[in-house]
């Protein structure tokens, strides 16, 4: 049969809806608003997007305590809400940004997930694209939103525009179109008081929750994963960034100043609670102290 004898293909609509992609119907939005201090009745505007990211970062820290405790990291929305909202804990990039995507979708935003290669500290090596981030459509145009990069990321969403730079709480951020692996990519850089430092690079190929589940399995099981073999907790706010790596607490400021303090392993649970708002029960504190002691003696 000749190709021109084929019956015309039917028109095909969108393969997925935003709710399908981010399981927004499974979200307890009231509980999330209570956790983050956000009001009810938020409209899907650029100002709402900024308010949600600021509130999320102020309330929910970046951390990998569950992995230190030897527990799995599920990514379904009810599990994310139970951990980060009801039990007032934090999470790493997939947990953080999948929860944010569900919230934003529920509020009426169109959200697209991306995967980024972390370049800070890579020393020229090509890392896999294992960081999650989001593009969010607003009446002002598209924005890049990210609550899961830890201590060196965005305080607020940034306009998705080549060459855009701005100061956020004293921290400088800039987004550029650059030549990447096989074609153009986007690069996010931050200003540390001395120079612009590349943080991560990404393409605009859309990612879904199922894609992130595969990436997450790698990060929670591969022996060379940066989330195994050490404890980390991070938080960034206006004027100050905190990062705990095992028993070292780093502090940094937008003018390039900062410092670090060594703390005894037995005090790590106290620092987790006082600096990062991560409360542990007695058994969890014992496990964390023991595991951190093992990490620093490896």
């Amino acid at each position: 049969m000749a190709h021109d004898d084929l019956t015309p293909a039917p028109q095909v609509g969108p393969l997925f809806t935003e709710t399908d992609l981010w399981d927004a119907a499974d979200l307890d939005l009231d509980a999330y608003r209570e956790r983050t201090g956000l009001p009810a009745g938020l409209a899907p505007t650029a100002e709402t997007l900024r308010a949600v990211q600021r509130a999320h970062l102020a309330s929910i820290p970046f951390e990998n305590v569950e992995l230190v405790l030897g527990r799995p990291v599920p990514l379904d929305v009810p599990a994310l809400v139970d951990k980060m909202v009801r039990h007032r804990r934090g999470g790493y990039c997939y947990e953080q940004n999948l929860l944010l995507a569900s919230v934003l979708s529920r509020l009426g935003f169109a959200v697209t997930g991306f995967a980024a290669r972390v370049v800070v500290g890579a020393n020229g090596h090509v890392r896999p694209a294992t960081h999650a981030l989001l593009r969010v459509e607003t009446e002002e145009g598209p924005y890049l939103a990210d609550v899961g990069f830890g201590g060196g990321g965005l305080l607020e969403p940034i306009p998705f525009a080549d060459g855009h730079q701005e100061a956020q709480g004293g921290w400088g951020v800039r987004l550029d179109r650059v030549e990447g692996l096989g074609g153009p990519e986007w690069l996010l850089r931050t200003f540390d008081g001395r120079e612009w430092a590349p943080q991560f690079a990404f393409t605009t190929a859309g990612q879904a929750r199922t894609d992130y589940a595969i990436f997450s399995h790698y990060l929670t099981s591969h022996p060379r994963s940066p989330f195994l073999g050490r404890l980390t907790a991070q938080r960034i706010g206006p004027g100050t960034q905190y990062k705990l790596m095992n028993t070292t607490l780093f502090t940094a400021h937008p003018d390039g100043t900062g410092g670090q303090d060594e703390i005894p392993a037995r005090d790590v649970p106290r620092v987790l609670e006082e600096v990062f708002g991560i409360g542990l029960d007695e058994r969890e504190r014992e496990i964390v102290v023991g595991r951190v002691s093992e990490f620093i003696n490896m």
Side-chain angles (χ1 to χ4, degrees), residues 13 15 67-68 112 128 133 170 176 185 206 216 226 251 258 265 268 277 280 294 296 298:
L15 292 178
L67 291 175
V68 174
T112 304
L133 63 157
D176 287 297
E185 296 189 14
S216 183
T251 306
V268 167
L280 305 174
E294 293 175 8
I296 62 179
M298 289 174 64

Side-chain angles (χ1 to χ4, degrees), residues 10-275:
Q11 294 295 315
V12 179
L15 292 178
F16 308 104
T17 67
E18 294 301 322
T19 300
D20 290 333
L21 285 175
W22 308 118
D23 295 338
D26 295 335
L27 174 74
D28 187 337
L29 185 58
D30 289 338
Y32 178 84
R33 285 199 301 256
E34 181 179 355
R35 170 78 158 113
T36 56
L38 288 164
L42 292 170
T45 65
E47 183 53 39
T48 290
L49 176 61
R50 288 187 284 266
V52 170
Q53 176 153 332
R54 288 195 302 265
H56 187 116
L57 285 171
S59 305
I60 305 177
F62 180 99
E63 49 106 332
N64 73 332
V65 175
E66 290 298 278
L67 291 175
V68 174
L69 293 171
R71 297 172 180 166
V73 181
L75 298 180
D76 59 282
V77 171
L80 297 176
V81 171
D82 186 63
K83 177 191 176 186
M84 293 191 285
V85 175
R86 295 196 176 93
H87 287 89
R88 306 185 72 80
R89 288 281 306 281
Y92 77 135
C93 74
Y94 296 128
E95 297 172 282
Q96 298 274 6
N97 281 323
L98 283 173
L99 177 61
L100 180 64
S102 183
V103 170
L104 295 176
S105 182
R106 182 72 170 271
L107 291 175
F109 290 97
V111 181
T112 304
F114 295 152
R117 301 178 191 277
V118 177
V119 296
V120 60
N123 298 318
H125 294 97
V126 179
R127 290 170 168 163
T130 55
H131 175 60
L133 63 157
L134 308 172
R135 172 177 166 140
V136 185
E137 308 300 327
T138 79
E139 80 286 0
E140 295 181 3
Y143 276 75
L144 189 69
D146 183 4
V147 293
F149 197 63
L154 298 171
L155 271 181
E156 297 182 357
I158 186 173
F160 205 109
D162 186 15
H164 180 88
Q165 72 178 53
E166 62 182 64
Q168 301 181 344
W171 304 97
V173 294
R174 181 181 174 95
L175 187 62
D176 287 297
R177 192 81 157 146
V178 298
E179 190 63 27
L181 294 177
E185 296 189 14
W186 293 86
L187 175 68
L188 184 84
R189 293 185 286 173
T190 60
F191 189 70
D192 63 1
R194 298 176 298 272
E195 62 182 357
W196 287 98
Q199 300 297 313
F200 55 74
F202 61 96
T203 68
T204 55
Q207 306 290 322
R209 180 180 300 278
T210 49
D211 299 313
Y212 294 133
I214 295 173
F215 302 152
S216 183
H217 174 71
Y218 166 82
L219 287 177
T220 58
S221 62
H222 196 281
R224 294 180 61 184
S225 167
F227 294 104
L228 297 176
R230 66 181 181 183
L231 168 73
T232 186
Q234 302 179 41
R235 170 169 278 169
I236 187 170
T240 308
Q241 170 189 339
Y242 297 101
K243 180 187 296 184
L244 178 67
M245 301 295 289
N246 290 328
T247 57
T248 306
L249 179 63
F250 300 90
T251 306
H253 306 288
D255 63 0
T257 62
Q260 63 185 70
D261 295 301
E262 291 296 326
I263 58 177
R266 65 178 180 275
D267 288 341
V268 167
R270 175 185 59 79
V271 172
L272 286 173
E273 183 165 9
E274 292 180 357
V275 178

